[in-house]
């Protein structure tokens, strides 16, 4: 969503805010293992949403950010801030061409986004990445209400940290995907199921679905929700899914069986044990993919 760090280097701190916790990570060295810490939030402190107020108890969120990041020590204040996927809309757009001037290109992207959003694009923050795609230009854009992004940024600033880079959680988590072949990445949280399909370091598909079952969703239900995206990918790109990476599920084994039956692909945790340098307070590995990927 933004990149406003005063430092020329990427922050070695990342912090994710979810509906029920604040989870922080520190990279011990660039691209190296990540140490993690987490603090729980009272129910209702954060209610992720595209258009409504998200931080219902900003003081509590800010204090948890301060505690989580402060537990690492050090003087660094720049941090990658990860927002809930329910608070950000990620959209694919295709263009014949885009203006070479960045400001003009953003105006074109905003115009295309205008009719596909439940809020006024003029009141939104937009960040996008473009790349050539078979004679056209493919754009992946992240867009959120400015007021929603500013809520989260304010919580970090009040905690004494500068959110130099702001990302939706799933886009951050994709950095943890060790994908060497066409791969499906799934990230489940209390409100959403985020789906991405990657190949050759490119995002070919991205969707965020509502999830009324939370992290207790059954493997069969998850496979059912994912199936239309898998079929669309196969029909569009004439490739099969070879790898599946999953985050956010406390019981991966149950889901893995259903996903394997559906696709025939191998299923594994998005957060690999080798990426973890230390996990405080027995934080479950399935919770840390966002900060791991953001710091990868």
């Amino acid at each position: 969503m933004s990149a406003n760090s005063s430092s020329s280097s990427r922050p070695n701190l990342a912090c994710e805010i979810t509906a029920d916790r604040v989870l922080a990570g520190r990279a011990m060295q660039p691209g190296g293992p990540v140490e993690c810490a987490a603090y729980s939030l009272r129910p209702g402190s954060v209610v992720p949403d595209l258009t409504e107020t998200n931080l219902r108890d900003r003081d509590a969120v800010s204090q948890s950010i301060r505690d989580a990041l402060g537990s690492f020590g050090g003087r660094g204040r720049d941090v990658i801030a990860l927002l809930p996927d329910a608070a950000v809309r990620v959209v694919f757009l295709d263009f014949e061409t885009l203006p070479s001037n960045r400001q003009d290109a953003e105006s074109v992207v905003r115009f295309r986004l205008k009719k596909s959003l439940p809020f006024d694009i003029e009141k939104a923050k937009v960040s996008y990445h473009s790349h050539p795609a078979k004679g056209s230009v493919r754009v992946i854009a992240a867009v959120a209400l400015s007021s929603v992004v500013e809520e989260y940024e304010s919580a970090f600033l009040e905690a004494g940290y500068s959110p130099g880079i702001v990302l939706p959680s799933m886009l951050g988590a994709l950095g943890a995907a060790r994908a060497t072949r066409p791969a499906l990445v799934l990230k489940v949280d209390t409100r959403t199921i985020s789906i991405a399909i990657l190949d050759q370091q490119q995002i070919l598909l991205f969707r965020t679905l509502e999830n009324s079952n939370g992290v207790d969703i059954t493997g069969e239900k998850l496979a059912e929700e994912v199936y239309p995206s898998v079929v669309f990918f196969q029909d569009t790109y004439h490739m099969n899914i070879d790898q599946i990476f999953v985050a956010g599920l406390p019981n991966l084994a149950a889901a893995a069986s259903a996903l394997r039956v559906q696709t025939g692909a191998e299923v594994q945790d998005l957060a690999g044990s080798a990426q973890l340098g230390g996990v405080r307070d027995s934080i479950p590995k399935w919770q840390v993919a966002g900060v791991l990927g953001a710091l990868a």
Side-chain angles (χ1 to χ4, degrees):
M1 297 303 305
S2 63
N4 304 312
S5 176
S6 59
S7 171
S8 60
S9 62
R10 190 176 182 84
N12 72 337
L13 295 173
C15 187
E16 178 175 4
I17 300 176
T18 77
D20 56 6
R21 68 186 179 276
V22 170
L23 196 148
R26 177 181 64 175
M28 299 176 182
Q29 59 187 20
V34 175
E35 182 180 15
C36 296
Y39 284 77
S40 297
L41 293 170
R42 291 190 301 272
S45 296
V46 178
V47 182
D49 193 85
L50 278 174
T51 60
E52 302 295 332
T53 298
N54 280 221
L55 303 190
R56 307 298 173 86
D57 189 345
R58 194 165 75 187
D59 289 344
V61 175
S62 184
Q63 183 61 52
S64 293
I65 292 171
R66 185 180 298 113
D67 291 341
L69 290 170
S71 68
F72 301 128
R75 298 182 178 180
R77 293 297 171 185
D78 282 343
V79 60
I80 302 170
L82 298 168
L83 276 51
D85 291 319
V88 183
R89 179 70 59 84
V90 177
V91 182
F92 273 111
L93 301 169
D94 289 307
F95 298 89
E96 290 186 4
T97 61
L98 270 182
S100 57
N101 179 279
R102 183 77 181 184
Q103 185 174 352
D104 292 341
E106 181 174 323
S107 296
V108 173
V109 171
R110 282 178 171 270
F111 180 79
R112 281 282 299 276
L113 288 169
K114 189 172 184 178
K115 294 183 179 179
S116 61
L117 299 171
F119 48 78
D120 185 352
I121 188 63
E122 298 304 321
K123 298 179 180 179
K125 290 184 181 289
V126 176
S127 180
Y128 73 90
H129 171 74
S130 62
H131 62 88
K134 295 183 179 179
S136 62
V137 179
R138 167 64 57 91
V139 167
I140 181 168
V143 55
L145 270 177
S146 297
S147 59
V148 169
V149 176
E150 288 161 4
E151 282 184 72
Y152 289 98
E153 290 177 331
S154 294
F156 279 94
L157 292 171
E158 289 168 11
Y161 291 86
S162 175
I165 298 173
V166 181
L167 294 170
S169 178
M170 179 58 158
L171 286 185
L174 291 180
R178 303 164 301 284
T180 57
R181 306 183 301 279
L184 171 66
V185 182
L186 304 175
K187 189 171 185 293
V188 179
D189 64 29
T190 56
R191 295 175 66 97
T192 59
I193 301 168
S194 293
I195 302 168
I197 297 180
L198 313 176
D199 186 48
Q200 303 297 318
Q201 304 302 313
Q202 297 288 347
I203 305 173
L204 301 182
L205 181 147
F206 192 104
R207 290 174 177 169
T208 300
L209 311 176
E210 291 185 4
N211 174 25
S212 60
N213 297 282
V215 298
D216 296 321
I217 188 170
T218 66
E220 291 75 14
K221 180 63 175 175
L222 179 61
E224 178 185 324
E225 294 287 348
V226 169
Y227 183 70
S229 296
V230 172
V231 171
F232 176 82
F233 169 76
Q234 292 172 333
D235 289 347
T236 302
Y237 293 98
H238 308 292
M239 291 188 286
N240 292 321
I241 299 296
D242 289 335
Q243 298 174 286
I244 299 177
F245 298 96
V246 182
L249 289 183
N251 185 2
L252 177 60
S257 177
L259 291 167
R260 196 176 296 114
V261 167
Q262 183 187 84
T263 64
E266 59 178 295
V267 182
Q268 56 190 294
D269 279 306
L270 179 56
S273 297
Q275 298 166 289
L276 295 172
V279 178
R280 302 184 182 191
D281 302 322
S282 300
I283 305 166
K285 184 170 64 174
W286 53 270
Q287 293 182 350
V288 300
V291 295
L292 285 183
L295 293 169

